[in-house]
Amino acid sequence: MILLLPLPDELDRSYMGRLIRLNGLRSEKGLVTLLAQWANVAEASRWEVCCLDLLCRAANMELSQFVRRHTTLPLRRSFTSYQPDLAHGSAESQSMLRLTGMRFARPGAYFCVDCVRLDLETYGMSYWRRDHQLLGVSICTKHLRPLRYVDKTEAFLDAPSSFVTNSHLVSEEWARLNQQHSGIQRFLAISRELLDRAKPFDVKVARLVLHEQAAARGWCTHGSKTSKPLLSDQVLANFPLDWLSTVFPLLADKKPGVTFNQMDGVLYLSTSASSVAPYILACSLLFKSADEALHALMTDFTKPRPRQKIKPIDAGDLRAAYILAKGQYALVLPELCDSRRSIQTGLESIGLPNLPGRGNQSHLIAVTAFFVHKKTLSESAALGGVELSTLEHLIRQGGNNLATALTEISAPPTGPGSGVLRVKPRTPIEAGATTGSIDEKSSWHSLCELEIGD
Ligand SMILES: [Zn+2]
């Protein structure tokens, strides 16, 4: 067995390919068998040891160290709802590593011809760099040159030098656009920061952080129908569509104004979507820099935060919005604040009921006929095309304040703070007279018990 050290930023499969070629083997399977024999892994327990575990032994590295330096897993798993406390490449994550450890970050195998030339001069061989395989990367950061790529990912097992002439070149124009776009630059900077981390972010933490930012901009932060701007539409408006189709193709096909859970869900779902792209896109859009985004994500949300005071909605604003919406709650609700419930309660408390209209039915016409044109109850109900009982209900809602006052007149409230004394304190003698006892001590005692129990 000829062993090798992985080269700087070398992708796991590139290292595997070099081991295969140097040992005169033909396949991945052949290398795994040879490595398992070399590492003395017993046949019976071979299924428990993942390929990455064998590669890190060959590289004489800790598993977590190898995973963090040579796989794209820290980025692909950067936001997760599944065991977020588990560090990347930890010993407990063998089954996860076996399934997803060596997956590709994107289709195709990317390389830089200048890096290939330099590597041949420096190491006598070329290799695939991990950074070039990241989502959205189209240029080599060292040589500022557009990357070349091969469509098939099997290419990683061969040297990139064998594809210099038979590969596609990312166009200069495309690479320049990506280089100059501040949102794409933030996306890439955040991706590289995430790749460097030992642990993923819990989706629940990301949701809180992103939700706070989106709410501050007045964007929709839930999955219901809304007139507020959608995060998915904002991403579409702020990133080039061609580029988006390389990092999140489903989003590029989305219709404007339609909630798209795979993207908008980062603000309200507690389980992660199929990819980390929507989280990184949201961070790129909602924060000015990668530092700012990472700092916000690392805020300790386990510490109790001061409760935000709920700002009471001004009755004048509510009334104005109600008039503008012609009494239809559905048209008032999204405009004033995030809590539909508090707006509804606010309107009800000032005696402004919901006045929906459907087909020939108009609650607005019925109540206008009654209150403004002084028609009778039955005439007003007929004009609005509503049941008499519906109109009565609306009028009762309108007379909310009167109804509350009348309720209190007919049944005065009791209890603490109501001003009505529940038990008149007795003197010890009175207590004795009630119980029929003249023993002052026991009477006093029973009075105390009464008061404590009260
Ligand atoms: Zn390069």
Side-chain angles (χ1 to χ4, degrees), residues 8 19 98 106 113 154 191 199 309 331 345 409:
L19 282 174
R98 194 178 305 111
R106 61 170 167 179
V113 283
E154 295 82 35
S191 299
K199 266 175 68 174
K309 274 193 179 168
L331 303 179
T345 313
I409 291 169

Side-chain angles (χ1 to χ4, degrees), residues 105-296:
R106 61 170 167 179
Y110 288 72
F111 65 96
C112 158
V113 283
D114 284 346
C115 285
V116 165
R117 188 176 42 78
L118 265 178
D119 292 340
L120 285 170
E121 285 170 20
T122 314
Y123 307 109
M125 59 183 94
S126 63
Y127 67 99
W128 302 90
R129 279 172 165 72
R130 182 174 66 155
D131 188 81
H132 295 164
Q133 318 312 326
L134 305 183
L135 268 181
V137 173
S138 58
I139 205 167
C140 170
T141 50
K142 187 174 174 188
H143 300 105
L144 300 179
R145 187 176 179 139
L147 300 177
R148 296 192 77 92
Y149 66 97
V150 189
D151 287 323
K152 50 179 187 143
T153 41
E154 295 82 35
F156 285 128
L157 297 184
D158 292 317
S161 52
S162 55
F163 297 103
V164 171
T165 52
N166 52 343
S167 50
H168 310 287
L169 174 67
V170 174
S171 76
E172 285 277 356
E173 193 190 356
W174 170 267
R176 206 180 316 113
L177 170 78
N178 292 356
Q179 185 70 5
Q180 288 164 358
H181 193 282
S182 59
I184 295 178
Q185 288 308 303
R186 270 197 303 282
F187 180 94
L188 299 177
I190 294 169
S191 299
R192 287 173 177 130
E193 291 281 347
L194 293 169
L195 190 67
D196 219 27
R197 281 177 49 83
K199 266 175 68 174
F201 285 112
D202 189 335
V203 156
K204 291 194 186 79
V205 171
R207 184 187 61 181
L208 278 170
V209 171
L210 298 172
H211 186 285
E212 196 169 64
Q213 292 293 323
R217 286 165 174 77
W219 297 355
C220 174
T221 53
H222 50 77
S224 316
K225 216 172 171 193
T226 175
S227 60
K228 288 184 178 180
L230 292 170
L231 172 65
S232 52
D233 285 337
Q234 296 299 316
V235 172
L236 278 169
N238 284 281
F239 288 91
L241 201 62
D242 287 348
W243 179 83
L244 268 181
S245 69
T246 67
V247 299
F248 196 14
L250 284 173
L251 178 66
D253 297 335
K254 187 198 97 98
K255 288 195 181 85
V258 179
T259 304
F260 181 60
N261 278 331
Q262 284 102 319
M263 179 73 234
D264 297 306
V266 301
L267 303 177
Y268 49 82
L269 295 177
S270 51
T271 50
S272 44
S274 54
S275 131
V276 294
Y279 289 92
I280 307 175
L281 283 169
C283 287
S284 316
L285 195 60
L286 293 167
F287 292 98
K288 289 195 197 89
S289 68
D291 277 355
E292 202 181 285
L294 269 286
H295 179 75

Side-chain angles (χ1 to χ4, degrees), residues 341-356:
R341 185 69 212 152
S342 58
I343 294 173
Q344 188 177 334
T345 313
L347 284 170
E348 283 168 356
S349 72
I350 56 173
L352 298 176
N354 187 18
L355 301 176

Side-chain angles (χ1 to χ4, degrees), residues 51-129:
C51 185
L52 277 173
D53 196 348
L54 291 171
L55 288 179
C56 80
R57 293 185 203 200
N60 195 24
M61 287 168 83
E62 294 287 332
L63 179 60
S64 57
Q65 195 186 17
F66 187 86
V67 166
R68 282 183 61 191
R69 287 190 193 170
H70 299 290
T71 74
T72 55
L73 182 84
L75 177 62
R76 288 184 285 107
R77 193 181 162 251
S78 51
F79 294 93
T80 185
S81 51
Y82 179 69
Q83 296 189 304
D85 290 330
L86 220 57
H88 301 308
S90 67
E92 299 95 315
S93 63
Q94 285 263 355
S95 58
M96 187 201 300
L97 291 176
R98 194 178 305 111
L99 284 172
T100 63
M102 291 176 74
R103 273 193 193 158
F104 308 108
R106 61 170 167 179
Y110 288 72
F111 65 96
C112 158
V113 283
D114 284 346
C115 285
V116 165
R117 188 176 42 78
L118 265 178
D119 292 340
L120 285 170
E121 285 170 20
T122 314
Y123 307 109
M125 59 183 94
S126 63
Y127 67 99
W128 302 90
R129 279 172 165 72

